[in-house]
Each structure stands twice: as structure tokens, then as C-alpha cells.
């Protein structure tokens, strides 16, 4: 559309005309609210809202409640069907206690590495759990229970469903043939593998937390077999452990026997080499420490020499003492010197006493003198005798020391010669000692293992043996139903959120306020399946009529001058209740006593004549704008007081050029002087140039949005086109709103209640600034 096709300035309407320069310049010079709204729309797609609205999630679930309940019911039905069709499984449980070491019956070393019990050892316990689940134990239990093909088929008989399916699909002759006959060994191996697979498949090991107890569970369709298998697994596990210990002891015993034979042979060989070398070298070893005769004699002579030197030193000291005149006290005590000295002392005392009376020449004095001299001579003789004895003792000790030194010198040479020849002898002797110690150690260990092998200690004990279960373990009907409800609910919720995520339509007033940044003028409820627009509009007590009265009330406060005199009603696409809204607003404004003119400005797809039930006329808006008729010729009575209508008339070839002429503005100016309210029933905004032209010419524009049908992108695009044409958008009317489908129940946060007429008068609609 070119600038020449836009309405030109007319008297009194110049303020409503767009500036030249296209849509871009029109948007640039538009009013401040329009620019703010356009910027908000451009930033809405890039804005990331991190807030979590739990109420919005709840409304989504309420909206899709039938889907959630349906999916939940389907999953629960499948769980119930699966439970009823499943074969009952019975679980038998045996409880074992596993210690790290068993009771020591004999205090000898074990034949396999063990550790004393010293706390929690998860590696040891995990090893035992894996041993319980091992294939060898499963084969052992299968052999103990005699599980052949017939026994397995008897245990796992098909249920009623399997029997029915087998009857419906009988085996063919090719399937009944078993193929080539297997050997007995191959058949036994296959049966053992099948039995082991059955045992492994039904076995579960359940450790008891914070203890050394473990539960052995076995599941099967037969309760009796479950108990037998659980007890057989426990017994087989204990027996296998004992056999492993006994096998370790037997292996150790055999190994020690072989080592003993080798050690004995080495000991005998080394002893023969030692004896042969001693005979060849003429070496005699009589001591336990490996000394020869020469070494032993030398040792003894050294000890004797030390004693002789000690004796000679003592004798020498006594002789030196005796030579100096001081006799040894022990020699004086053993001689007559001391009694003679005492007698002399007595006589000397008598002599001195009598010398006081008599002179020395007195006979009695001479006699005493003679006795004293005799005693002196005897004492000197005894002293000489003692001195000679000490000298003889010293000489004898010195002679003995000299003799011992001579013998030691002779033996030293012989001992050195023998030691030189005993180096290899000592090497051979050490080898003999080493081999003897190794042989003695192996012999002692062999005897210990022999004793320990006959005594079997067990570190595993059965606490509770398995009993025949009275109730089935699975399928568990309450648990399966609970899981079905849980999984079904989760799946239904996920589907509900997925559908809501894929749904990009405007559904609620919050969506309009958040996405379009426009106030909601009113909410038009969706009619039921048995209701129609004509009957709903004719009933003033209906929620449908009351909703339009609420829109009329909201429009009265849309601006500071009240309702815009020329009001355009348009929509984004088709089928959104635009014509119904225009007619309803015209009627309700007429009910206020206003003179209302309803103009059908949709020159491409008019529908107002059919809605009003009017006869086909010759003139309409297209004739009026093209100059083919007058305003009086185009104006018709709508069947209601103070309400007149101008229909579209004949469809022009290019309505946009017709609407962009100057006559539209002139016609609106003329009818504005004759009527209190003018309502334009405009065409859709998207894809057509008609709606932006009408929006520029009108005083206000009302955008109709169909709930859960109008897409967000389409509504935003329509809003941008209207803003580019400098249209003054008053607000949005949300049509065909289903409160139950939207998840709001019967009421909505704006105060709208659709149960009765009186609920609308309780509260006024809350409008946002726009």
C-alpha cells in the first residue's frame, strides 16, 4: 500500500492520519505507549523467566486431567493383567552366619593363609557371596537334587495361558523330532547345565546389613522345591568350604612329603662329604662346637698356664716378702715361731724383773739369759726353715710355668696347621647343620599338617533353615498396582507437560498479559455443545451476555474520555468470534440509550447479514465508499431500538484501495456527528492490508483472541502490524474461554464466575495499564 492510498487529512481528523514514509516511520513517530509496547513484544521472545509457578503447573494438570487419568488407568490395567497372568513364585529363605575363621580345635598353623578375626572385612564377605553364586556350587546342588529334564519340566509347568497358547499352536512333526541321539555323557552334561541354570536363576543372596549374616533366597513356582533348593544350597556351600580346606591340607601334606625326601637326600649327601674330608685330612672333631683335639688341648693348656702364672705370681710375692724379713702371716701361723716368741717374751719379762734385784752375773740371771739365747736360736732356725719353704714354692711355680709355655708353643704350631686344613671342613659342617635344620623344620610342619588334616574346623553355620513358604512372593498385586499407579501417573504427567509445551496458543488472561502486554477487557465463555450464540445473546441472564456487559464496562474506562467513539473490532485470523463480539457490543451500548451504528467493514468475507437475519440489500459500505449511494441508502435498521447497521454490500475487487481512500475518513466523520457510538466489524489483521487501515482511522481497536486457538506468534505479529499503522489498541477480548479445560475450575482470578448471572456483579474486572 502506497502513501497515496492512505486516508488524507480532513477537517477535524488530522490527528488520526499517519505520517508519510511507510510503516517504519509510522512506528518511529508513534506515541510513547505504542513504542514501549513494541519494544516489550520484541524483548519477550528473548527474556528467560527463571521463576517457577507451581499454580501454573497445577492448572496444566487440571487441564489435561482426562489424559493423566486415562494413561494411569491404562498402566494400572496392564499391571493388573500382567499380575493375573503371571505364574506365582514362592520364595524360601535360609540364613547363614559367616565368620572369618572357625573354632581352633588344635592350636597348630593352618595349611592355607588365614587372618585372625579383627573387624569388618568387606572383601572377605563379598568373596563368600560370589562363592554362593558360583557355577560350581550350582552344579553341585543340581546333582544333589537330581534335577533332570523331567524334574525341571514338572517344576516349571506352564500356566493356564501357556497351556492355552500351546493348544492353539501345536508342535509340528519336525519340532517333535529330537534330532540325533546324544551320548550318555553329553546328555548328562546338558542336564547338569540345565539344572545349574535353574539353581542360578532362582538364587539371590541378600546380606544382612551391619552383621555377618546372609540370607539365601530361592524363588520357584513350587514352594516345596524352593525350600529344598535353599537348604541344599546352604548345605552344599558349607560342604564345599570344608572340602576346600581339606583339599588344601592334603595338598600341603603331599607337598611336604616331597620336600622332606629332597631335604633328607641333601642332608645325607652333605654328611658323607663331611666324613670323607675328615678321614682324608685326619681331622678328629670331638666337641659339639666343631673343635679339633689340638684346639681342645691348646685351650686346656692355656687355661692351665693361666692358673700356673697366677700361682707363680703369688709365690713370687710371698718370697719377696720373706726375703725382706717380713714373714707371711699364714706361714708364721703354721710354724713354731709364734710359741717360741711367746716363751722368749715371758723369760725376757722375768729377766728384767729380777734385774732390778740381782746383777747380771748372778747365777739365776745367767740361767735366764741362757734360756733366752736358746729361744733366739730356735726362732732363727724356724724362720730360716719357713723362708726356705717359700723359696721352694716359688721355684716350683716358676718351673711349672716354664713347662706349660713349652707345651703351648708346641701345640700352637699343630693347631695352626689343623685350622688351615679345617676351613673346608667348617664349610661342609655348616652345610650339614643347615640341611639338618631345614629337614627338622619340614618334619615338624608335616606332623602338624597331618594332625590338623584330621580335624575340620568350620566358619559357616546355618542359623535358620528354609521352610516351605505359605504365601507367594510374586507377583505382588498391591505392589504392582501401586507401581502401576506411580508409573502411570508419571507418564500421564509427562504427556500432559509435553502437550502443554507443544501448545503455543494463548489460553488464559495471564498469557495475554505476559505475551502481548495488553489489558484483558473481558473473557467470553465458550458455549456448550447444545447452546448457540443467538439464544445465549437473547438471554440477559446468561453468562455469555454478562461477559459482554463486562467488556462494555471495561471499555467505558479504557481512556480518560470513556469509550472511544469509533471502535474497531478485529482478530488475528478467522473463526475467532469477531463479528459476534462487534454485534454484542453494539447491542449492549444501545441498551445504555446510545445511538449505535454497526458498520460491517469486512469487505472480503461478510457474515453480519446472516447473523442479523436481514434481507439481501442492494447498497452497503462498498457502495458508500465508491460513491454509489448515500449514507441513508446504506443504513439499515438492525431490529433493535437505537441500533442501525451498514452491511458490506457488494464485494469489491480490491477492498484495501477502497478503504484507503479519503471517503472512509469522511464517512466516519459524518456518522460520528449522527451517532453516539460507531463500531467497525473489521477483517482479520494477518495477510490483509484492510485491518491496519481501519485501525488507523478508528479511535480505538479491540483485538479478539480465541482461547486455545490463537497462536502466540500470530497474535504478536498482528499486534505489531496494528502498531506499525499507529492504531490505538484498547485491549484484548479473550473469546471461547473454557475454564475447565484451562485448569481454572469454574472461577478465575479476575473475578469471573460462569455459574450464574449474579456472580459477575461481585467484583469488577481487574485491568492493567496499557
Amino acid at each position: 500500500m502506497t502513501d497515496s492510498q492512505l486516508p488524507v487529512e480532513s477537517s477535524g481528523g488530522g490527528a488520526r492520519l499517519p505520517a508519510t514514509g511507510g510503516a517504519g516511520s509510522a512506528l518511529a513517530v508513534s506515541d510513547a505507549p505504542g513504542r514501549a509496547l513494541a519494544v516489550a513484544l520484541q524483548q519477550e521472545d528473548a527474556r528467560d523467566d527463571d521463576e517457577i509457578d507451581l499454580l501454573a503447573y497445577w492448572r496444566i494438570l487440571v487441564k489435561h486431567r482426562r489424559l493423566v487419568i486415562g494413561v494411569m488407568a491404562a498402566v494400572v490395567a496392564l499391571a493388573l493383567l500382567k499380575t493375573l497372568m503371571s505364574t506365582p513364585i514362592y520364595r524360601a529363605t535360609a540364613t547363614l552366619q559367616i565368620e572369618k575363621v572357625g573354632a581352633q580345635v588344635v592350636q597348630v598353623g593352618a595349611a592355607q593363609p588365614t587372618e585372625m578375626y579383627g573387624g569388618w572385612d568387606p572383601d572377605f564377605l563379598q568373596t563368600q557371596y560370589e562363592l554362593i553364586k558360583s557355577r560350581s556350587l550350582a552344579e553341585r546342588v543340581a546333582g544333589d537334587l537330581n534335577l533332570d529334564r523331567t524334574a525341571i519340566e514338572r517344576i516349571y509347568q506352564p500356566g493356564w495361558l501357556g497351556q492355552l497358547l500351546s493348544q492353539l499352536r501345536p508342535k509340528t512333526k519336525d519340532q517333535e523330532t529330537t534330532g540325533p541321539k546324544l551320548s550318555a555323557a553329553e546328555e548328562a552334561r546338558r542336564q547338569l547345565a540345565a539344572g545349574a541354570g535353574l539353581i542360578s536363576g532362582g538364587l539371590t543372596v541378600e546380606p544382612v546389613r551391619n552383621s555377618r549374616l546372609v540370607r539365601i533366597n530361592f524363588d520357584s513356582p513350587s514352594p516345596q522345591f524352593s525350600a529344598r533348593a535353599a537348604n541344599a544350597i546352604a548345605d552344599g556351600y558349607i560342604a564345599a568350604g570344608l572340602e576346600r580346606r581339606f583339599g588344601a591340607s592334603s595338598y600341603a601334606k603331599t607337598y611336604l612329603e616331597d620336600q622332606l625326601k629332597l631335604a633328607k637326600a641333601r642332608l645325607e649327601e652333605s654328611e658323607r662329604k663331611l666324613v670323607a674330608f675328615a678321614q682324608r685330612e685326619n681331622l678328629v672333631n670331638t666337641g659339639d662346637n666343631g673343635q679339633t683335639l689340638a684346639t681342645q688341648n691348646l685351650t686346656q693348656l692355656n687355661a692351665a698356664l693361666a692358673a700356673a702364672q697366677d700361682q707363680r705370681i703369688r709365690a713370687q710375692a710371698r718370697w719377696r716378702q720373706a726375703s725382706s724379713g717380713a714373714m707371711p702371716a699364714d706361714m708364721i701361723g703354721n710354724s713354731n715361731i709364734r710359741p717360741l716368741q711367746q716363751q722368749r717374751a715371758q723369760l725376757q719379762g722375768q729377766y728384767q724383773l729380777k734385774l732390778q734385784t740381782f746383777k747380771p752375773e748372778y747365777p739365776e740371771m745367767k740361767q735366764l739369759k741362757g734360756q733366752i739365747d736358746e729361744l733366739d736360736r730356735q726362732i732363727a732356725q724356724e724362720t730360716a726353715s719357713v723362708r726356705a719353704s717359700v723359696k721352694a714354692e716359688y721355684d716350683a711355680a716358676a718351673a711349672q710355668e716354664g713347662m706349660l709355655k713349652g707345651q703351648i708353643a708346641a701345640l700352637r704350631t699343630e693347631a695352626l696347621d689343623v685350622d688351615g686344613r679345617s676351613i673346608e671342613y667348617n664349610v661342609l659342617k655348616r652345610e650339614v647343620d643347615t640341611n639338618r635344620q631345614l629337614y627338622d623344620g619340614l618334619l615338624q610342619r608335616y606332623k602338624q599338617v597331618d594332625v590338623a588334616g584330621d580335624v575340620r574346623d568350620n566358619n559357616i553355620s546355618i542359623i535358620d533353615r528354609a521352610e516351605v513358604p505359605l504365601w507367594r512372593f510374586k507377583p505382588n498385586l498391591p505392589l504392582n498396582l501401586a507401581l502401576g499407579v506411580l508409573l502411570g501417573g508419571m507418564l500421564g504427567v509427562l504427556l500432559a507437560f509435553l502437550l502443554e509445551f507443544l501448545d503455543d496458543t494463548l489460553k488464559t488472561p495471564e498469557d495475554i498479559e505476559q505475551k502481548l502486554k495488553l489489558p484483558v477487557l473481558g473473557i467470553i465463555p465458550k458455549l456448550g455443545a447444545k447452546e448457540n450464540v443467538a439464544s445465549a445473546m437473547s438471554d440477559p441472564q446468561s453468562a455469555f451476555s454478562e461477559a459482554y456487559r463486562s467488556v462494555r464496562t471495561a471499555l467505558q474506562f479504557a481512556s480518560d474520555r470513556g469509550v472511544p467513539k469509533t471502535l474497531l473490532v478485529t482478530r488475528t485470523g478467522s473463526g475467532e468470534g469477531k463479528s459476534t463480539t462487534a454485534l454484542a457490543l453494539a447491542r449492549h451500548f444501545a441498551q445504555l440509550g446510545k445511538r449505535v451504528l454497526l458498520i460491517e467493514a469486512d469487505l472480503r468475507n461478510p457474515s453480519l447479514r446472516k447473523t442479523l437475519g436481514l434481507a439481501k440489500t442492494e447498497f452497503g459500505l462498498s457502495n458508500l465508499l465508491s460513491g454509489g449511494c448515500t449514507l441513508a441508502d446504506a443504513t439499515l435498521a438492525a431490529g433493535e431500538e437505537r441500533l442501525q447497521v451498514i452491511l458490506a454490500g457488494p464485494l469489491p475487487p480490491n477492498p484495501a484501495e477502497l478503504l484507503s481512500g479519503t471517503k472512509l475518513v469522511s464517512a466516519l466523520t459524518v456518522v460520528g456527528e449522527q451517532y453516539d457510538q460507531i463500531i467497525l466489524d473489521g477483517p482479520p489483521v494477518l495477510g490483509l492490508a484492510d485491518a491496519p487501515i481501519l485501525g488507523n482511522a478508528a479511535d480505538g481497536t479491540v483485538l479478539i483472541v480465541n482461547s486455545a486457538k490463537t497462536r502466540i506468534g500470530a497474535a504478536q505479529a498482528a499486534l505489531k502490524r496494528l502498531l506499525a499503522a499507529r492504531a490505538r489498541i484498547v485491549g484484548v477480548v479473550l473469546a471461547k474461554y473454557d475454564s475447565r479445560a484451562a485448569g481454572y475450575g469454574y472461577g478465575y482470578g479476575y473475578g469471573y464466575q460462569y455459574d450464574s448471572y449474579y456472580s459477575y456483579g461481585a467484583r469488577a474486572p481487574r485491568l492493567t495499564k496499557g
Side-chain angles (χ1 to χ4, degrees), residues 148 337 501 615:
D148 53 6
I337 295 176
F501 176 76

Side-chain angles (χ1 to χ4, degrees), residues 477-546:
L477 181 59
L479 178 61
N480 290 349
L481 292 180
L483 291 177
V485 171
L486 179 61
L487 295 178
M490 293 175 60
L491 182 59
V493 170
L494 289 177
L495 289 177
F497 283 118
L498 178 62
L499 292 179
E500 189 68 20
F501 176 76
L502 297 177
D503 186 7
D504 61 343
T505 60
L506 295 169
K507 297 176 283 295
T508 64
E510 281 97 343
D511 294 342
I512 295 175
E513 293 177 353
Q514 293 176 2
K515 304 299 181 182
L516 302 184
K517 305 300 179 182
L518 290 175
V520 179
L521 299 176
I523 303 173
I524 311 303
K526 184 178 181 180
L527 298 178
K530 297 181 180 181
E531 297 178 321
N532 55 68
V533 176
S535 61
M537 292 182 64
S538 62
D539 184 9
Q541 299 288 335
S542 66
F544 192 78
S545 298
E546 183 62 27

Side-chain angles (χ1 to χ4, degrees), residues 643-675:
L643 175 59
Q644 291 183 330
V645 61
I646 297 179
L647 298 180
L651 299 182
N654 35 1
E657 295 181 359
L658 187 63
L659 293 174
S660 62
T662 60
K663 291 187 177 182
L664 174 63
V665 178
S666 301
L668 291 177
T669 303
V670 173
V671 298
E673 296 176 353
Q674 301 179 8
Y675 295 91

Side-chain angles (χ1 to χ4, degrees), residues 340-477:
L340 293 174
Q341 289 178 348
Q342 292 176 356
Q343 293 177 10
R344 181 183 181 282
Q346 293 176 357
L347 293 177
Q348 183 67 27
Q350 293 176 5
Y351 180 80
Q352 292 295 332
L353 182 61
K354 290 182 178 182
L355 185 61
Q356 296 177 1
T357 305
F358 305 103
K359 292 183 179 183
E361 288 82 8
Y362 187 71
E364 185 177 357
M365 295 297 290
K366 290 182 179 181
Q367 182 180 0
L368 289 174
K369 180 66 176 173
Q371 292 177 358
I372 292 172
D373 294 338
E374 180 61 28
L375 288 174
D376 290 337
R377 185 185 64 78
Q378 291 179 4
I379 289 172
Q381 185 178 359
E382 288 292 331
T383 300
S385 177
V386 170
R387 187 177 288 109
S389 175
V390 171
K391 181 67 170 68
E393 181 181 354
Y394 167 70
D395 293 339
Q400 183 179 4
E401 180 182 3
M403 293 176 61
L404 288 174
K405 287 182 178 180
Q407 292 181 2
I408 286 174
L411 285 176
R412 182 179 294 112
T413 303
E414 182 180 357
L416 291 175
D417 180 60
V418 171
D419 289 341
R421 291 181 290 120
S422 298
I423 295 176
E424 186 177 355
Y425 177 85
N426 292 331
V427 174
L428 296 175
K429 185 66 170 58
R430 283 194 296 270
E431 183 179 359
V432 170
D433 295 339
T434 302
N435 291 334
R436 182 176 291 107
Q437 291 177 359
L438 179 60
Y439 178 77
D440 293 340
L442 290 174
L443 183 61
Q444 182 180 5
R445 184 61 174 167
Y446 176 78
K447 293 180 180 180
Q448 291 177 351
V449 172
D450 190 16
V451 173
D454 296 333
V455 181
R456 302 187 184 183
D457 58 330
N458 186 20
N459 62 328
I460 305 168
S461 57
I462 298 178
I463 304 302
D464 293 326
R465 299 191 70 85
E467 296 181 354
V468 178
L470 301 178
W471 307 98
R472 67 182 183 182
F473 173 70
K474 58 182 180 181
N476 190 336
L477 181 59

Side-chain angles (χ1 to χ4, degrees), residues 272-284 421 424-425 428:
R272 281 195 295 269
K273 290 182 179 179
L274 180 62
V275 173
F277 181 81
Q279 291 178 353
R280 185 172 63 253
E281 296 295 334
N282 196 19
L283 297 176
V284 179
R421 291 181 290 120
E424 186 177 355
Y425 177 85
L428 296 175

Side-chain angles (χ1 to χ4, degrees), residues 38-96:
V39 173
L41 289 173
Q42 293 174 359
Q43 294 178 350
E44 179 62 28
D45 296 334
R47 185 171 59 90
D48 184 16
D49 191 6
D50 295 333
E51 297 180 356
I52 298 177
D53 190 356
L54 297 179
L55 183 58
Y57 291 157
W58 170 251
R59 289 169 179 168
I60 292 173
L61 296 180
V62 174
K63 176 182 177 181
H64 299 283
R65 59 188 177 276
R66 292 185 178 87
L67 173 64
V68 175
I69 295 175
V71 172
M72 184 185 302
V75 175
V76 171
L78 290 176
L80 179 61
L81 182 63
K82 176 65 176 176
T83 301
L84 296 179
M85 294 176 59
S86 300
T87 302
I89 301 298
Y90 297 88
R91 168 170 287 188
T93 302
T95 305
L96 301 180

